[in-house]
Every structure is written in C-alpha cells, then in structure tokens.
Amino acid sequence: MVSQQLFDYIKQQSQQGVSNDEIKKSLLANGWSSTDVEEAFGTPQTPVQPKKRRWKKILLIAIGVIVLLIVGLLSLPNFLNLFAKDIAPINDSNLSLKVITVSNNENAYFDLIKLESAIYEPEGKSQIILDMVAGKTWDDKVAEEIVSRNIQAFGYFTEAANKPKFQDPASADPVNITPNAVLPAMNSWRRIARLSAIKALYLSKQGKDKEAIDEALNSVSIGQKIQESQGPLIEYLVAIAMKGVGLETVQKILVTSKLSSNELRQYAQGLNQFYKNEDGLINSFKGEYHIQSWMMDALASGDKEALKEIVGEEESGNPDISKKIKDNYYFQPNKTKLLFAEYARANIKSANESCGEIKATEIQKLVPTNPAKLYTEENAIGKILHDVIAASLTSVSTKKCEEDLLVAGTQTLLAIKAYKNDTNNYPPSLNDLIPTYLSSVPQDSFDGKSLKYSAE
C-alpha cells in the first residue's frame, strides 16, 4: 500500500539528485514491494499537508484593521470637510442695536463712575450694613459714620439721579460692544444704593421724612435710567437690585412717616414712571447676541483673542489654527449664529410676555453625550459654544416682574397711608383710593389682576 512515508522518501531522494532507478533499487532492497514502488512512481504526489496554525493570520488581519481605523479616524476630518456646507448669512436685523447719543452733561454715567474712589464703608461692618438695610438691626454710630464720611459720594449719587439719562459709552455704539469692552465698576453702584438706604433711614429717624424718601428714591431713579439704556445684561441686573433697595427703604420709612397726605399722594403717583422698562431688557438681550455674533466672526477669521477663549493662549498663536476652525465641518459660523439668534429671540419673547405666562425654560443641550458621536457631529464646535454660553434667562424676566410688583406694592402703601391720614381709617377696598390717591388700582404683575388687599 502506498503511504505518505513512501512519497516523502521518493521526494527527498529526488531533491538530492538520486536517479529514479537507484531510488527503486534502494526501496526494493529495504523490503518495499515492487507493486507499491511502481505505484508510487506512477501516482501524482498529492501528499496530505498538515494544518497550519491560523493565529498568525488572524493577528495580521487584526493589526491591519486597527491600522485602517487609525488612518480613517485621522483622515476623517479632511474627509468630512468635503461635505461641509454652512448656511447663507442669517437675517438678524431684528436683533441689531442702534447708535445712542447722550451728551456728557446729561449722562448720569459720568457721576456714577466717580463713586468707586469716593465711597467710604466702615471697615469690618459689611454684615451690619446689610442687616441695617434689611431692617434687622440699627446702629446709630455706624449710620452717623456712613452719613458723615460719604458727603462727596452722596453728592455724586444725587447728581446722577437728577440727570435725565444714563448711557454707558462702551455700549452706545454697537461697534464697540465686544467681549473686550471694559465694564464700569458696578459693585460701587450697589454699595452706594445700600449706603443711601442707611442715610434715608437715618434721616427718617430724625423726622426728616421728605428728605429720607427723596434719598431712597435716588436709587430707584438711577436704576430706572440704567434699565432704559442700551447696555449689557449685567448692568440691567444691577439696576434691578438698586431699585429694589430704594423701594423697600421707602416702605420702611412709611411705617413712622409724618408726611402729609398730599405729599404721600404725589410720591405715589410719581412711581408710575418706574414700571415700564421692557425695552431696556430687550436691548440687553440684543447686546448679548451682538457679542456672541462678534465672537463667531472672530473665531472664523482666526482672531487670536477669540481663539484664546476656545483653544488656549499657546494654541491661539499657531498660524494653522484658523485653517482648522474656519468654516469647516466642525465649525460653521452662520449655523452657530442661528443657534444664538434663536436663543436671543426666545429671551426677547419672554420679556414681552405677561408675567403670568412666563415659564422657566431649560436650554436644550446640542452636544451628543457620547464622545464618539461628537467626532462625527457636524458643527460640533458651534454646538459646544452654544451649550457653554447659553443659559436660561427667563429668571431675568421674572425678576423684572417681581420689580414691577414691588413698585405696585410701594405705590399702594403710599396711597393707603395718605387715605388713612385723611380719614383716620384704612380704605375698605383699593377702589376707594381712586381717583384721589391713585389714577387706577395697581396690578399684580403675575396674574394681571388688581393687587389683593384686606383692610384687616
């Protein structure tokens, strides 16, 4: 029987140059039958090959796949850029700002910026001052020190209150509204409002009620002017805080006030001017969009200052960085502007809604939570910027509503005090204040109905 051993021997001898006849003789001499030998020489040699181990082949395939994946990932941005297509420039004309012109002589801004170097606060008395303003405590010595040491600061504050307008010069021209614009020291404005409240309460305790209310209303008047101006959102929020301090101080003074009913009535009617300032809030939202739009253009052009905010100072100096970020698959300026424009319009809509209709909105996150998906996400950089910058601002509109309610409450208390002076009784209803003390019953800004009142 022909075996693999026989085939192997014949093959080995042949490779060594031994002739077929010699191989046959050797096989026959070693006991192989002539039949098997002849058959082995006459049969094509198809020896059974042993199975090779396949792990080497599998490993090579795996390595090849990994290399292809790495090459694919590295080249993916270039590949995706072939499909990058930004939208046409958006129409954001309804979010544009105007150039505002206010003469220096009429601008309260220039009085307020003098406050930072003029304000005096007793060292270590910050909490006592806050408690005094809130009506939790009173310290005559601290009050006297504040009033006597802030004559110049209070003078600047009164001058600002008497100016017809306020306009931060950095926000007067949209060209100058950029992230690099220098903001005034607004903390000094909040501080002077608190110190002014202490002065007002100090005057009231001396029986000087008219001077006291006039002092408290300085904060309200200046806050209103700031709100009516074209400025950043932070200025608007500071103005809300200033107005709140002033109005709450007026309410505290009313408790012991000896003002005549005529004086109280005039103050009540004078508060009508402090309701409407939605336009200022809307301008603040537009200003926020203006800065965001500027940032998108700056990033697209490779502006180093803008790039520092995104990629860090070291990378922003890389001359190739603008190529990496300018109008490609991962950053498309116009699409990003559209995201911020829609965000601004939603905030403006909230500012125009009645307070009862304002609903807290949660800004939808646009960036995929899966990092792998982010690598293939179109306009990924624009969406990241949106998620980082955009935040729900409905609370700002709500603060505006709360402020309107505070104006209405203070106005009504003034009118009630005047009515009581004249009749020695509280009015049975707020309608009894019309038209002598108020032109109409103030509304609750949250439900649009008349303020709730009980004579008891």
Side-chain angles (χ1 to χ4, degrees):
M1 180 180 177
V2 179
S3 67
Q4 184 63 40
Q5 182 182 6
L6 182 58
F7 282 125
D8 290 342
Y9 179 80
I10 294 172
K11 180 179 180 181
Q12 182 186 30
Q13 293 298 306
S14 296
Q15 290 176 345
Q16 293 177 0
V18 180
S19 66
N20 289 347
D21 289 340
E22 291 177 345
I23 295 172
K24 289 180 181 179
K25 290 178 181 179
S26 177
L27 290 171
L28 292 173
N30 284 281
W32 291 93
S33 67
S34 59
T35 303
D36 289 342
V37 172
E38 292 300 328
E39 184 179 350
F41 275 97
T43 303
Q45 296 187 27
T46 54
V48 178
Q49 298 291 331
K51 293 184 178 180
K52 295 182 180 179
R53 299 179 69 179
R54 301 181 61 189
W55 63 270
K56 291 184 178 180
K57 183 177 181 181
I58 295 172
L59 180 60
L60 289 172
I61 292 174
I63 292 173
V65 170
I66 292 173
V67 170
L68 287 174
L69 285 174
I70 293 174
V71 172
L73 287 173
L74 292 175
S75 61
L76 182 60
N78 293 328
F79 174 75
L80 292 175
N81 280 342
L82 298 175
F83 303 95
K85 187 176 181 181
D86 199 1
I87 60 175
I90 68 171
N91 181 4
D92 55 5
S93 58
N94 63 336
L95 297 175
S96 61
L97 295 168
K98 301 177 181 178
V99 176
I100 307 296
T101 302
V102 178
S103 68
N104 292 0
N105 293 333
E106 294 184 330
N107 195 347
Y109 170 87
F110 293 100
D111 298 301
L112 292 179
I113 60 174
K114 299 175 184 177
L115 290 171
E116 186 176 14
S117 60
I119 288 178
Y120 167 80
E121 283 188 273
E123 188 175 352
K125 303 294 184 181
S126 298
Q127 189 58 51
I128 292 177
I129 290 172
L130 292 173
D131 291 341
M132 291 171 70
V133 172
K136 297 179 180 179
T137 187
W138 184 256
D139 189 317
D140 278 321
K141 186 177 180 180
V142 172
E144 289 172 2
E145 186 178 359
I146 287 172
V147 172
S148 63
R149 298 288 294 273
N150 281 290
I151 293 174
Q152 186 180 49
F154 287 136
Y156 293 147
F157 199 54
T158 300
E159 288 177 16
N162 292 331
K163 295 291 174 67
K165 295 180 180 179
F166 170 94
Q167 179 57 55
D168 184 343
S171 306
D173 188 338
V175 173
N176 299 324
I177 302 177
T178 72
N180 301 321
V182 179
L183 294 175
M186 287 174 278
N187 185 49
S188 63
W189 304 354
R190 299 187 66 170
R191 290 167 60 203
I192 194 64
R194 292 193 291 265
L195 299 179
S196 174
I198 289 177
K199 180 183 178 181
L201 294 170
Y202 177 77
L203 292 170
S204 176
K205 291 178 183 296
Q206 294 181 330
K208 301 176 182 179
D209 292 338
K210 188 175 188 309
E211 293 178 43
I213 290 183
D214 287 342
E215 181 65 39
L217 289 177
N218 280 345
S219 295
V220 183
S221 176
I222 293 172
Q224 181 73 21
K225 291 182 181 71
I226 295 173
Q227 287 179 324
E228 291 173 347
S229 71
Q230 179 171 282
L233 187 60
I234 184 63
E235 284 187 358
Y236 189 92
L237 293 173
V238 168
I240 286 180
M242 294 176 69
K243 287 179 72 175
V245 169
L247 290 166
E248 289 172 358
T249 302
V250 170
Q251 293 186 14
K252 292 181 179 70
I253 294 170
L254 276 178
V255 176
T256 58
S257 173
K258 300 297 190 294
L259 288 175
S260 68
S261 58
N262 184 54
E263 290 173 315
L264 292 167
R265 184 168 60 248
Q266 290 178 355
Y267 281 124
Q269 294 172 351
L271 290 184
N272 283 327
Q273 64 182 301
F274 299 125
Y275 279 109
K276 297 297 180 183
N277 50 51
E278 288 82 2
D279 289 345
L281 179 56
I282 290 170
N283 279 338
S284 294
F285 289 143
K286 289 181 178 180
E288 295 294 305
Y289 169 74
H290 183 89
I291 292 176
Q292 293 153 3
S293 177
W294 183 94
M295 285 287 288
M296 298 310 105
D297 290 335
L299 283 172
S301 66
D303 182 273
K304 288 186 178 181
E305 292 302 318
L307 288 174
K308 283 180 184 179
E309 300 296 324
I310 306 301
V311 299
E313 185 170 357
E314 184 177 349
E315 269 299 304
S316 65
N318 185 341
D320 296 328
I321 194 68
S322 60
K323 296 179 182 179
K324 297 177 183 177
I325 201 169
K326 183 179 179 181
D327 193 17
N328 61 35
Y329 185 82
Y330 292 112
F331 179 66
Q332 297 167 5
N334 292 330
K335 285 183 180 179
T336 308
K337 279 187 182 182
L338 181 60
L339 293 176
F340 283 111
E342 292 173 345
Y343 166 65
R345 288 170 182 140
N347 289 325
I348 291 171
K349 179 183 177 183
S350 176
N352 282 319
E353 288 179 339
S354 62
C355 297
E357 295 177 351
I358 296 175
K359 297 179 180 178
T361 57
E362 183 177 348
I363 302 300
Q364 181 181 0
K365 297 299 181 182
L366 304 179
V367 177
T369 55
N370 187 336
K373 289 184 178 180
L374 183 61
Y375 198 67
T376 58
E377 185 76 10
E378 186 176 11
N379 194 29
I381 293 175
K383 292 176 181 179
I384 290 173
L385 289 172
H386 172 272
D387 288 1
V388 170
I389 296 173
S392 178
L393 294 179
T394 51
S395 61
V396 179
S397 297
T398 301
K399 286 182 183 294
K400 168 67 177 68
C401 295
E402 291 170 349
E403 178 193 288
D404 286 345
L405 185 57
L406 185 57
V407 173
T410 307
Q411 187 176 45
T412 305
L413 288 172
L414 284 161
I416 290 172
K417 182 81 171 181
Y419 182 96
K420 191 172 187 298
N421 283 355
D422 289 340
T423 65
N424 205 34
N425 290 301
Y426 290 111
S429 74
L430 295 185
N431 289 325
D432 293 294
L433 300 173
I434 312 303
T436 306
Y437 304 96
L438 292 172
S439 58
S440 61
V441 176
Q443 289 187 338
D444 181 332
S445 52
F446 286 92
D447 62 14
K449 299 178 182 178
S450 298
L451 285 179
K452 299 170 183 62
Y453 166 80
S454 170
E456 289 75 21

Coordinates of all heavy atoms in Angstrom, one line a residue, residues 296 299 310-311 324-325 328-332 336 367 374 377-387:
M296 N -18.4 84.7 16.9 CA -18.4 83.8 15.8 C -17.6 84.3 14.6 O -16.8 83.5 14.0 CB -19.9 83.5 15.4 CG -20.8 82.9 16.4 SD -20.1 81.4 17.2 CE -19.6 82.1 18.8
L299 N -13.9 84.1 15.6 CA -13.4 82.7 15.5 C -13.1 82.3 14.1 O -12.1 81.7 13.8 CB -14.3 81.8 16.2 CG -14.3 81.7 17.7 CD1 -15.5 80.9 18.3 CD2 -13.0 81.2 18.3
I310 N -11.1 79.7 23.4 CA -11.5 78.4 23.0 C -10.4 77.4 23.1 O -10.6 76.3 23.6 CB -12.1 78.4 21.5 CG1 -13.2 79.5 21.4 CG2 -12.6 77.1 21.1 CD1 -14.3 79.3 22.4
V311 N -9.2 77.7 22.5 CA -8.2 76.7 22.4 C -7.0 77.0 23.4 O -6.0 76.2 23.4 CB -7.7 76.6 21.0 CG1 -8.8 76.2 20.1 CG2 -7.1 77.9 20.5
K324 N -7.9 75.4 10.8 CA -8.6 74.2 11.5 C -10.0 74.6 11.9 O -10.9 73.7 12.1 CB -7.8 73.8 12.7 CG -6.4 73.3 12.4 CD -5.7 73.0 13.7 CE -4.3 72.5 13.4 NZ -3.5 72.2 14.7
I325 N -10.3 75.9 12.1 CA -11.6 76.2 12.7 C -12.4 77.0 11.8 O -13.6 77.2 12.0 CB -11.3 77.1 14.0 CG1 -12.6 77.0 14.9 CG2 -11.0 78.5 13.7 CD1 -12.3 77.5 16.3
N328 N -15.5 75.0 8.5 CA -15.3 73.6 8.2 C -16.4 72.8 8.8 O -17.4 73.3 9.3 CB -13.9 73.1 8.6 CG -13.7 73.2 10.1 OD1 -14.6 73.0 10.9 ND2 -12.5 73.5 10.5
Y329 N -16.2 71.5 8.6 CA -17.3 70.6 9.1 C -17.6 70.8 10.6 O -18.8 70.7 11.0 CB -16.9 69.1 8.8 CG -18.0 68.1 9.1 CD1 -19.0 67.9 8.2 CD2 -18.0 67.4 10.3 CE1 -20.0 66.9 8.5 CE2 -19.0 66.5 10.6 CZ -20.0 66.2 9.7 OH -20.9 65.3 9.9
Y330 N -16.6 71.0 11.4 CA -16.8 71.1 12.8 C -17.1 72.5 13.3 O -17.5 72.7 14.5 CB -15.5 70.6 13.5 CG -15.3 69.2 13.3 CD1 -14.2 68.7 12.6 CD2 -16.1 68.2 13.9 CE1 -14.0 67.3 12.4 CE2 -15.9 66.9 13.7 CZ -14.8 66.4 13.0 OH -14.6 65.1 12.8
F331 N -16.9 73.5 12.5 CA -17.3 74.9 12.9 C -17.9 75.6 11.7 O -17.2 75.9 10.8 CB -16.2 75.6 13.5 CG -16.6 77.0 13.9 CD1 -17.5 77.3 14.9 CD2 -16.0 78.1 13.3 CE1 -17.9 78.5 15.3 CE2 -16.4 79.4 13.6 CZ -17.3 79.6 14.6
Q332 N -19.2 75.9 11.8 CA -19.8 76.7 10.7 C -20.5 77.9 11.3 O -21.5 77.8 12.0 CB -20.9 75.7 10.0 CG -20.2 74.5 9.4 CD -21.2 73.4 9.0 OE1 -22.4 73.6 9.1 NE2 -20.6 72.3 8.5
T336 N -24.0 78.5 13.6 CA -23.8 78.8 15.0 C -24.5 80.1 15.4 O -25.1 80.2 16.4 CB -22.3 78.9 15.4 OG1 -21.6 77.7 14.9 CG2 -22.1 79.0 16.9
V367 N -24.9 69.1 22.2 CA -23.7 68.3 22.0 C -24.1 66.8 22.4 O -24.7 66.6 23.5 CB -22.6 68.8 22.9 CG1 -21.4 67.8 22.8 CG2 -22.2 70.2 22.5
L374 N -19.6 62.7 18.9 CA -19.1 64.1 18.8 C -18.1 64.2 17.7 O -18.0 65.2 17.0 CB -18.5 64.6 20.1 CG -18.0 66.0 20.2 CD1 -19.2 67.0 19.9 CD2 -17.4 66.3 21.5
E377 N -20.0 64.7 14.6 CA -21.1 65.7 14.7 C -20.8 66.9 13.9 O -19.8 67.6 14.0 CB -21.3 66.1 16.2 CG -22.5 67.0 16.4 CD -23.8 66.2 16.3 OE1 -23.8 65.0 16.3 OE2 -24.9 66.9 16.3
E378 N -21.7 67.3 13.0 CA -21.5 68.5 12.2 C -21.6 69.7 13.1 O -22.5 69.8 13.9 CB -22.5 68.5 11.0 CG -22.3 69.7 10.1 CD -23.3 69.6 8.9 OE1 -24.2 68.8 8.9 OE2 -23.0 70.4 7.9
N379 N -20.8 70.7 12.8 CA -20.8 72.0 13.6 C -20.6 71.7 15.1 O -21.2 72.3 15.9 CB -22.0 72.8 13.3 CG -21.9 74.2 13.8 OD1 -20.8 74.8 13.9 ND2 -23.0 74.8 14.2
A380 N -19.8 70.7 15.4 CA -19.6 70.3 16.8 C -19.1 71.5 17.7 O -19.6 71.7 18.8 CB -18.6 69.2 16.9
I381 N -18.2 72.3 17.1 CA -17.6 73.4 17.9 C -18.7 74.4 18.2 O -18.8 75.0 19.3 CB -16.4 74.0 17.2 CG1 -15.3 73.0 17.1 CG2 -16.0 75.3 17.8 CD1 -14.1 73.5 16.3
G382 N -19.5 74.7 17.2 CA -20.6 75.7 17.3 C -21.6 75.2 18.4 O -22.1 76.0 19.2
K383 N -21.9 73.9 18.4 CA -22.8 73.4 19.4 C -22.3 73.4 20.8 O -23.0 73.6 21.8 CB -23.3 72.0 19.0 CG -24.1 72.0 17.7 CD -24.5 70.6 17.2 CE -25.3 70.6 16.0 NZ -25.6 69.3 15.5
I384 N -20.9 73.1 20.9 CA -20.3 73.2 22.2 C -20.3 74.6 22.7 O -20.7 74.9 23.9 CB -18.8 72.7 22.1 CG1 -18.8 71.2 21.8 CG2 -18.0 73.1 23.3 CD1 -17.4 70.7 21.5
L385 N -20.1 75.6 21.9 CA -20.1 77.0 22.3 C -21.5 77.4 22.7 O -21.7 78.1 23.8 CB -19.7 77.9 21.1 CG -18.3 77.9 20.7 CD1 -18.0 78.7 19.4 CD2 -17.4 78.5 21.8
H386 N -22.5 76.9 22.0 CA -23.9 77.2 22.4 C -24.2 76.6 23.8 O -24.8 77.3 24.7 CB -24.9 76.6 21.4 CG -26.3 76.6 21.8 ND1 -26.9 75.6 22.6 CD2 -27.3 77.5 21.6 CE1 -28.2 75.9 22.8 NE2 -28.4 77.1 22.2
D387 N -23.8 75.3 24.0 CA -24.1 74.7 25.3 C -23.4 75.4 26.5 O -23.9 75.4 27.6 CB -23.7 73.2 25.2 CG -24.7 72.4 24.4 OD1 -25.6 73.0 23.8 OD2 -24.5 71.2 24.2

